[in-house]
Amino acid sequence: KNFAVKTDVWHTLILSQNTATIIKNKPRLISFTKNTPANKRYNPTLSSESYFKLIENDFVKTNLYPNTGFSLNVNKASYSNIRRFINMGMVVPPDAVRVEEMVNYFNLNYQQPTGDSIFKIKTSITNCPWQTNHQLLLINISAKKIDIEKIPAGNFVFLIDVSGSMEIPNRLPLIKEAFQLFVKNLRPIDKVAIVTYGGMVGTWLTSTPGNEKDVIINRLEALNAAGDTPGESAIEAAYKLAKANFIIGGNNRVILATDGDFNVGQTSEKALDELISKQRETGIYLTCLGVGMGNFKDSKLQTLAKRGNGNYAYIDNLHEAEKVLVQELTETLYSVADDATINITFNPTYINSYRLIGFDNKREAIADESSEMDGGEMGTGGCTTAIFEIETNNIPSTTDIGLLTLKFHDVNSQSKEYSNIDYVIKNTEVDTTNAATFAAAVATYGLKLKNSPFCNNISWANVKITTQKATNTTFFLQNDFMTLVDKTIKIYNPSKKKKK
């Protein structure tokens, strides 16, 4: 507030916290079924201490609660993180398994929107591998691809953790290689600065044009690991540098690369949440790249990316770095929609009950009855698939009826204008695709891996059969998944050796 004061007398000012700020710092839901009481929202599940404690979505009776929704979460970190555990011959912590991230890792069934549309929505239905009397409904949202040459200029700040914990080969050395891949694709209109933190925070490279690739790469090569991890002051320094070089109408982004082990300054998820919430109003996005093993803090990087209007990827090898920062560059770093959510109203005449697979909420967000659903971000050329397990009721095969209505809500990243798209899913629009069966196989693997109570009647042998039937081995990523399933079975269900 602005008001006149007398300068020759003392004044007492009483400050109260803005309601919007209070709401902003609350834990947020990523999926929510309307009107359900808090004590009906979850079925408690124990999880590892290294990750957020997640609560699986339960079945919902359509006649009681027909309206549900979820955030368009395009993170894919869970799949590569799981792969790291399996490749090391280790059991995966159940809360490290986020099924929606595993499914979306494969960018399944992407379809370029037509005309002036930014998004295209497609549905498909397939059999449920773990419950034969149920079906799986897949809702696929594809964002329009933009020509790389038409993408706005980029103002990037690499925020690199060079603390002592990053010295191992799969941490700082991997990050250096990953960023070099990214730098090779920079345009002259782009610019890069580097902030490092390890013992102390400093500007390692001032903002440099993208055509000076040798300068940027040489500075990356000169990085060495040592010291503590002052994450709080490093984040503030990176945002300050990004603001100083802000490009109006451009892609202004901090790219944080770390194992997440902050041990100086604000270190809790709540404190980091509040810190980054103050920065998101600047129009600067935050992308988090996680690396490492043992002290890796998945929950902190999730918090930072979500609050920073950005995304989060886990890099376990150089191939993954190439996938995230080269092959899927625009999808990772160029947003077309912020605060994107999908709201669905199921038709109780044809769908008796439903369960959203994945998009599981943190326990503290569910426990707070005032929690609201938080929107997600989508990058250009991105693709998000959500899977519902549904129990149907004699759907006519020839009648043109509406199974559900869908409302898509988002904020355009450039114009900041709100938009809502209504879409009616009719029976004639539902079909079975190869992408749907493979998504079902990935979901089956994820649910089995996290020991889901909704999938306890299926064996690892069944998981392998389901995977073999759905996998197209000519696709590298799908073939990689088949190999991952085989390795997992050797860990979770080893063959018994014959006694001599």
Side-chain angles (χ1 to χ4, degrees), residues 437-453:
T437 56
F438 182 76
V442 176
T444 305
Y445 170 72
L447 292 175
K448 182 66 177 176
L449 202 59
K450 72 187 285 116
N451 196 27
S452 169

Side-chain angles (χ1 to χ4, degrees), residues 56 79 82 97-106 108 126-131 135-138 355-360 385-389 435-456 458 460 462-463 466-467 470-471 481 485:
E56 272 200 89
Y79 182 84
I82 288 168
V97 182
R98 297 186 289 273
V99 179
E100 76 282 5
E101 293 187 18
M102 296 174 66
V103 172
N104 286 312
Y105 181 85
F106 299 92
L108 292 169
T126 190
N127 295 326
C128 179
W130 59 87
Q131 189 62 264
Q135 292 178 299
L136 299 182
L137 171 68
L138 286 78
R355 185 178 89 84
L356 177 59
I357 297 172
F359 297 90
D360 300 324
T385 299
I387 305 177
F388 285 90
E389 182 179 351
T437 56
F438 182 76
V442 176
T444 305
Y445 170 72
L447 292 175
K448 182 66 177 176
L449 202 59
K450 72 187 285 116
N451 196 27
S452 169
F454 301 101
C455 191
N456 56 14
I458 193 169
W460 279 111
N462 295 136
V463 172
T466 301
T467 303
T471 301
F481 174 66
V485 171

Side-chain angles (χ1 to χ4, degrees), residues 360-410:
D360 300 324
N361 291 297
K362 291 175 282 189
R363 183 171 296 181
E364 61 268 30
I366 293 178
D368 186 350
E369 293 192 36
S370 64
S371 292
E372 297 178 353
M373 189 167 67
D374 198 14
E377 291 69 45
M378 283 197 73
T380 171
C383 181
T384 298
T385 299
I387 305 177
F388 285 90
E389 182 179 351
I390 58 174
E391 182 186 11
T392 59
N393 180 31
N394 299 323
I395 299 177
S397 58
T398 56
T399 307
D400 190 26
I401 51 90
L403 294 179
L404 58 98
T405 57
L406 182 150
K407 184 180 287 292
F408 179 90
H409 167 87
D410 79 296

Side-chain angles (χ1 to χ4, degrees), residues 49-52 269 297-304 312:
E49 294 180 358
S50 301
Y51 297 83
F52 280 125
E269 281 82 7
K297 300 298 185 289
D298 176 89
S299 56
K300 290 180 181 178
L301 294 182
Q302 275 197 76
T303 299
L304 289 170
Y312 161 45

Side-chain angles (χ1 to χ4, degrees), residues 7-26:
T7 58
D8 57 345
V9 297
W10 289 98
H11 296 273
T12 300
L13 305 179
I14 301 174
L15 307 180
S16 60
Q17 189 170 9
N18 188 293
T19 305
T21 306
I22 298 173
I23 294 173
K24 187 183 298 180
N25 293 336
K26 280 181 170 291

Side-chain angles (χ1 to χ4, degrees), residues 213-252:
K213 293 178 173 53
D214 289 342
V215 174
I216 302 171
I217 290 174
N218 287 338
R219 292 302 286 165
L220 285 169
E221 281 291 346
L223 292 171
N224 291 298
D228 295 324
T229 319
E232 176 191 9
S233 55
I235 290 171
E236 291 177 337
Y239 270 92
K240 184 177 180 180
L241 191 55
K243 289 177 191 174
N245 296 283
F246 192 88
I247 299 174
I248 298 174
N251 180 22
N252 300 279

